[in-house]
Amino acid sequence: MDTLLATLVSGLVLGSLYALMASGLSLVWTTLGVFNFAHGALMMVGAFIAWTVSEAVGAGPVAGVVAGTLGAGLIGIVIERLVIRPFYASRNMLLVTAMTTLAVTIILERGAQMIWGPRLKQLPPLVDGEIRLFGNAISAHEALLLVAAPVILIALWRFTVSSKIGRSLRAVGQNQDSAALIGVDVPTAFALAFAISAALAGLTGALLGSIRFITPAMGSEPLTKAMIVVIFGGLGSLGSTAGAAYLIGFIEAFLVLWVGLYWTPFALFLLMILVLLLRPNGIFGKR
């Protein structure tokens, strides 16, 4: 029973991280219709900015998380303006933007290597101490993550369905021409969606930097897991993405328990292939 509860808690933590990461990917896809392969690198940059502000400057972990979130958001705006917007009218937009965002990933990783060096870094936790959840001890930082992730996702969902700006993003995602005819500034909506997505990536990186070491390549694995989450959930709604994120978190936690850490990625990719074959629109996606 203790092992089962510990696995459930681990799944909740993983699901919270994946939900924050994948929601940004889903937002960009539903608004712009492109897949941002630089999302993991933006997470890494957010973690490094948070470390710089928190440790090198000495402003503390809270200021570091805020700086990492805002910094990644600003970099996201620059990426959208320089390497994605010029190709909106291209017939091969999906392929071109995939290539350009992959190039941005390499640039950001090499840039981080030059700026921060190869030495491993780690952020202090936002909250010290431990708490007990279902009889299992977890760090207070992880407990904060369990609470913060649903709150952030609910706030993002309310923003997209209740605010005028959020509804304009949804309108652009449904039909760009019609949105432009009713007065929506489509390029600005694209930039805003990309900025929110990048900010979520930076926030995830800043939070993850207290759990794992910060390296220039730290975004690769979370990006892969976020891709699996988006495929499982189906592209179309934040609710589907969040549900799939927690599902993948639990599946991964139990796979690590049953088949081991080495075979878990193989099993996850096998499940992803099965979902693509049997449910191309995702488990929660509509036909």
Side-chain angles (χ1 to χ4, degrees):
M1 181 60 68
D2 291 341
T3 302
L4 175 62
L5 292 176
T7 305
L8 289 174
V9 172
S10 176
L12 279 174
V13 174
L14 290 173
S16 299
L17 286 170
Y18 297 159
L20 288 176
M21 189 77 174
S23 59
L25 280 178
S26 180
L27 180 64
V28 167
W29 176 265
T30 54
T31 306
L32 282 76
V34 300
F35 195 90
N36 177 22
F37 285 95
H39 201 70
L42 287 167
M43 188 198 81
M44 173 270 299
V45 170
F48 271 117
I49 293 175
W51 178 86
T52 301
V53 173
S54 174
E55 299 302 294
V57 177
V62 175
V65 170
V66 174
T69 303
L70 296 178
L74 291 175
I75 294 173
I77 294 175
V78 174
I79 293 173
E80 187 276 336
R81 183 67 181 87
L82 295 181
V83 303
I84 295 180
R85 186 175 297 188
F87 304 106
Y88 283 150
S90 173
R91 295 178 58 186
N92 299 316
M93 180 181 174
L94 286 175
L95 177 61
V96 174
T97 53
M99 295 173 63
T100 55
T101 52
L102 283 171
V104 168
T105 297
I106 297 173
I107 292 171
L108 290 178
E109 289 181 353
R110 298 300 182 271
Q113 183 83 13
M114 293 173 61
I115 295 171
W116 287 285
R119 180 174 294 181
L120 298 176
K121 299 172 175 62
Q122 192 168 29
L123 282 162
L126 287 175
V127 184
D128 294 322
E130 292 184 347
I131 68 168
R132 299 194 68 84
L133 183 64
F134 302 130
N136 295 275
I138 64 171
S139 69
H141 180 86
E142 291 177 327
L144 177 63
L145 175 62
L146 294 180
V147 176
V151 171
I152 293 170
L153 293 174
I154 292 173
L156 180 61
W157 172 74
R158 291 296 301 173
F159 168 76
T160 58
V161 300
S162 299
S163 68
K164 182 178 179 180
I165 297 176
R167 289 196 297 269
S168 69
L169 294 181
R170 296 174 62 201
V172 170
Q174 292 174 8
N175 192 304
Q176 297 177 20
D177 295 332
S178 297
L181 287 174
I182 63 174
V184 176
D185 189 340
V186 175
T188 300
F190 284 164
L192 179 60
F194 215 92
I196 295 173
S197 172
L200 285 171
L203 174 62
T204 306
L207 294 174
L208 188 61
S210 298
I211 302 174
R212 301 180 184 178
F213 287 114
I214 302 172
T215 68
M218 67 175 291
S220 300
E221 181 185 353
L223 175 64
T224 303
K225 300 295 177 56
M227 291 171 59
I228 295 175
V229 167
V230 170
I231 291 172
F232 261 74
L235 296 164
S237 72
L238 290 173
S240 298
T241 301
Y246 284 99
L247 177 62
I248 291 297
F250 286 122
I251 291 175
E252 181 177 353
F254 279 100
L255 284 174
V256 171
L257 175 65
W258 292 334
V259 303
L261 187 63
Y262 182 82
W263 289 103
T264 295
F266 168 80
L268 285 175
F269 276 107
L270 181 61
L271 286 173
M272 182 187 71
I273 293 172
L274 291 175
V275 169
L276 286 173
L277 291 174
L278 301 176
R279 294 277 299 180
N281 293 319
I283 294 177
F284 304 114
K286 298 179 181 179
R287 293 186 179 275

